[in-house]
Structures are given as structure tokens and as C-alpha cells.
Amino acid sequence: MIAPVQPNADLIAAVQPLIPALRRYARALLRDRADADDLVQDVLERAMGRWHQRREAAGTRAWLFAILHNLAMDQLRRRARRGAAQPIDAVPESLLAIPPGQETAVHTGDILSLVSRLPDEHRSVLLLIGVEDLSYAEAAAVLDIPLGTVMSRLSRARERLRAMIAEEPHRAPALRIVS
Amino acid sequence: MTDAPVTETELQHYVDGRLPRDRETAVTAWLAARPEEAERIGAYRSERDALRAALAPIAGEPLPAELDLNLRRHRRPHWLSARGMTVAASIMLAFVVGGGSGWMLRDRAAPPIVGTAALAREAAASYAVYAGDAARPVEIAATGQLELDRWFSRRLSRPVKAPDLRAAGFDLIGGRLIATNFGPAGLYLYRDASGASVALYLRPMRVQGTDRMTWREEGAVRGWTWADDGLGFGVFGEMPADRLHSTADMARAQFRRA
């Protein structure tokens, strides 16, 4: 067995603050807490192994999100092949493991279940840009697509989500609360 | 640039609040004349905000030990010095105790808490101590706002002004200076008609001069932190995340305009 790689102080200072966001993106994509945390652990192992290969410090966030995104897509493809994925509508919201007790919890389940029905390419731009606050250029780097494609995907994803919300008018008031 | 046609890409930037000021003004005016477009863009913003609010709590969860890089440093036997063990033990204890009492262990727990995470703790602790103080929650009351702003500006070494949060239902009741490990911090307290308080906490940041808005839970006290231009901010209270978020947005917008 290979000895575990030791993170150096630079790596800890740069990576540790980003772990909560990585967990969030992983959980939003995989919709399972344990799977998501396992995936983040995998990302951290790889980041430690390849730390000296990363290009510049400014891009550490995009670099980590790219590693995570690619691993998550692999996992989603494996799930689809196994047929293990349940019909998306049947995935219980509890799998998202959002702590209860918040007034917004009822409403937030709605938006999460709608977003989970979007294709991965749409879901990922909404999450990377809207939730993780990546710049459009960082998102392009993470997804390995041109900037123009990021913008058109973002536009389409937002429109598609709007159409889904419009089809379910009872959900709309819940969404308005947080605007 | 103001006369340039509005593009779909700009509208997406607008949804994300990432347009330069002059184009933001142009797009706002463009939308004002086009109710259907304004409704569409408003819907995109609501989607974005709802998604952020729904996922925000995940980033506020304590990091499990498997994902804590500081613990990995101490994993191999020769790293398991007495200090390493103490550190690991106190971190475990912090996880077990959790919530409001966890922060008291911070000086002994290994990972140094800096940046907006440290600010979150200070802000939540200040809120807990002062917001509930019926006798003297503030040092200078809102009637002396000018004096208060001047005091903060001097101690924080930059112009500071209490934001107007009345649109969120909050009236300024006053403020006080807070001592922290990182120097002086300012605390503005606001209250709404129902008596609910919200604290706006700010201090200069040495490490993390810029940071995006992040959800924080410190026991029952929760809120949002961010940093702009070397100044860190926290908006904390005991109300739902979305109300705290809109209040924080309002404060951030006013500081950015200033």
C-alpha cells in the first residue's frame, strides 16, 4: 500500500477553506450525503497527489471543482449504467440531508427537486455559478467548455427551470419568499 | 457603453449581480420598459436565490474528521505526537460538544480559525451577549449615529456608516465597539417591530480580504458573512436564513455603493 500523502501547510491553507463548498456541490449533484462526502475525500486525495502539478494559485478553486465535477460525472454515469438510479421524481428529499428545523426547508425541497430533474449539464452551470459563485471563466474551466457555451447553457438552464416552475403554479409562491 | 444594446449574456450577468455599474443602470432601465422581460429576469433571480438558500446549510455543517486536512497531517505514527493527540482529541470534543459551546475551545483546538470563519464566531458571540441585553445593548444609541459612525470609522481606519435597513423592517438601535484577537470590530444592532434583533458586525480582515457570502451557524445564532475590499462583515440573528440573507444583501449593497 502506498503511504498516504501528507498535506503541506500551503495545501491546507488553500484547500481546507474550500471543502465546505466542495461538499455542497458534491451533495447537490449526487443527492446523497455519504456518497458526496466519499467523493470529496477522493478529490482531496487527488489534490494532495497532484498539488505540485496545479498551474497557478489563483485557479485552485476551479482546479478542485474540476476534479470534483469529473469524478461526480463518472459516478453518475456508473449509477445510470447500473440502473441503480431511481426515477428522479421518486428520490426522497431526505437524501439531500438538509438539516430540518428551518422555515425555508419546506420550500427549499421544491427547488431542489425541480433542479434534480434538469440534465447534468444544466444543473452544473446553475450550481457552479449561482450557488458556488464561480466566475463564468472558472465555470468554463471546470466544465472544460468555451465561455460562450457556459453562457448559453446558463441561459437555457434558467429558462427551463422557469418553465418547470410555471407548470407547477403551487410551487411558485414558495419560491417568491426568498426573492 | 450606455447606448450599447442589451444582450442576453448581460441579462445573465444581471441575474448574478455581475454587471459593471453603468451597464447595470442601463439594463435596469431597459427592463423597466419591458415588463415581460423584467418578469423573466426576476424569475431567474428568484430561482437562483431559492437554490442558494436551499443549499447554504450544507456549507455550514461541521467538517467531518475524514475531510479535515489538519487531521491527515497527524495520521502517521511519527506524527502522532502528544500534541497531535491533544489536538485530535480537542477537535473531536469540539464536534461532540458542538453548537454554541464549541467556540470556547477554539484556542486549544488545532485548526486556527481565521478569515470570515473567525469573524462569524465573534459576530455570533457578540450578538448573543448584546442583542439580549435589555439594560444596555449598545454603547451609543441610534440618536448619536453620527458620533457612532465617526467612532467606528476612526477605530476601523476607514469610512464606515450604519446601513439603512428599514426596507427590511429593521431600525438601527445603536452600536458598540468589540475587542477581538484581530483588533477592534464594530457592532451595529437593529431591531424590527416585533422586537427581533439583527447584528451587523464588521472589522478589517488581514487574511481574507474578499470572500463571498457564506452561511454560518453558530448554535442558535445564524447568519451570513462576506468580505469586500479588506473589510469583513457578518449579519447575524435568530431568524430564518432567507430573511437574514436579504438583510445581508441590503447591507452589502450599501457598503459597495459607499
Side-chain angles (χ1 to χ4, degrees):
Chain A
M1 189 193 147
I2 303 160
V5 186
Q6 295 290 319
N8 62 30
D10 277 359
L11 185 149
I12 293 179
V15 176
Q16 182 100 339
L18 299 171
I19 298 175
L22 294 169
R23 293 179 80 195
R24 177 171 52 196
Y25 184 54
R27 208 181 300 174
L29 288 177
L30 299 183
R31 307 190 306 276
D32 179 278
R33 184 190 193 124
D35 283 359
D37 280 355
D38 284 352
L39 194 75
V40 173
Q41 209 173 337
D42 210 353
V43 171
L44 297 177
E45 299 291 346
R46 280 164 204 249
M48 285 185 281
R50 302 181 196 161
W51 183 242
H52 58 282
Q53 293 169 21
R54 82 195 190 291
R55 281 188 213 108
E56 80 279 22
T60 301
R61 189 158 65 122
W63 181 68
L64 289 169
F65 270 99
I67 298 175
L68 174 55
H69 179 82
N70 292 330
L71 289 172
M73 291 302 128
D74 287 348
Q75 182 153 341
L76 289 172
R77 272 192 292 273
R78 276 199 305 275
R79 270 191 199 173
R81 264 205 307 276
R82 274 204 318 266
Q86 307 163 52
I88 276 166
D89 279 356
V91 174
E93 286 306 320
S94 60
L95 282 185
L96 283 152
I98 301 287
Q102 296 206 37
E103 282 189 27
T104 47
V106 182
H107 316 311
T108 57
D110 294 346
I111 186 82
L112 293 173
S113 77
L114 288 173
V115 168
S116 74
R117 286 189 231 160
L118 290 172
D120 293 335
E121 59 173 47
H122 284 169
R123 206 146 41 102
S124 44
V125 287
L126 289 180
L127 293 167
L128 290 171
I129 292 164
V131 178
E132 304 305 338
D133 276 336
L134 262 63
S135 70
Y136 303 119
E138 283 177 312
V142 169
L143 302 172
D144 198 21
I145 54 176
L147 187 58
T149 311
V150 170
M151 296 317 298
S152 56
R153 269 190 200 175
L154 182 61
S155 193
R156 278 203 300 276
R158 284 179 167 156
E159 185 53 30
R160 198 152 167 176
L161 189 54
R162 182 170 80 111
M164 286 161 74
I165 291 167
E167 278 166 27
E168 305 190 38
H170 63 282
R171 295 183 192 268
L175 294 174
R176 226 172 279 134
I177 287 173
V178 286
S179 65
Chain B
M1 272 301 281
T2 326
D3 296 333
V6 168
T7 66
E8 181 62 27
T9 292
E10 281 187 313
L11 292 175
Q12 298 300 330
H13 279 68
Y14 183 84
V15 171
D16 293 311
R18 298 184 192 180
L19 274 185
R21 182 99 47 95
D22 59 333
R23 288 309 289 169
E24 171 133 16
T25 313
V27 169
T28 307
W30 186 88
L31 288 172
R34 290 166 184 80
E36 274 187 23
E37 289 293 316
E39 195 189 324
R40 174 170 75 96
I41 300 306
Y44 293 171
R45 276 206 163 164
S46 302
E47 290 167 12
R48 178 180 180 276
D49 290 347
L51 191 56
R52 283 176 90 92
L55 295 169
I58 297 173
E61 290 174 18
L63 222 49
E66 313 86 78
L67 300 181
D68 184 348
L69 294 176
N70 283 301
L71 291 180
R72 273 163 203 264
R73 273 198 112 171
H74 301 279
R75 198 156 66 177
R76 283 158 88 183
H78 70 270
W79 284 93
L80 285 178
S81 57
R83 189 178 131 70
M85 293 299 277
T86 316
V87 159
S90 56
I91 293 167
M92 294 310 286
L93 185 58
F95 279 131
V96 173
V97 176
S101 42
W103 72 275
M104 287 187 286
L105 296 167
R106 116 188 106 150
D107 288 338
R108 272 174 288 149
I113 293 169
V114 294
T116 48
L119 183 141
R121 301 203 158 181
E122 300 154 21
S126 305
Y127 173 90
V129 171
Y130 294 118
D133 188 327
R136 199 172 168 83
V138 296
E139 199 91 35
I140 297 183
T143 46
Q145 197 200 326
L146 211 59
E147 186 195 346
L148 181 62
D149 289 341
R150 250 191 246 132
W151 185 29
F152 282 3
S153 303
R154 201 167 57 242
R155 296 309 307 271
L156 307 180
S157 311
R158 70 198 65 213
V160 167
K161 185 173 178 293
D164 182 347
L165 302 179
R166 281 177 298 184
F170 290 110
D171 285 312
L172 181 69
I173 61 168
R176 61 165 66 240
L177 205 66
I178 306 287
T180 79
N181 287 338
F182 307 94
L187 177 75
Y188 287 115
L189 278 179
Y190 294 80
R191 203 164 277 166
D192 73 3
S194 75
S197 304
V198 72
L200 170 67
Y201 181 92
L202 60 166
R203 70 161 165 79
M205 305 296 285
R206 278 185 228 161
V207 202
Q208 209 171 5
T210 311
D211 190 29
R212 62 185 195 283
M213 201 165 275
T214 306
W215 174 245
R216 310 279 186 182
E217 291 187 57
E218 304 284 337
V221 183
R222 297 142 2 139
W224 297 88
T225 61
W226 71 98
D228 264 336
D229 237 2
L231 195 58
F233 299 86
V235 165
F236 280 80
E238 290 168 287
M239 52 205 66
D242 48 359
R243 183 158 186 221
L244 287 165
H245 190 252
S246 55
T247 308
D249 264 345
M250 198 176 290
R252 181 168 67 170
Q254 291 181 39
F255 272 95
R256 282 184 173 172
R257 267 202 301 277

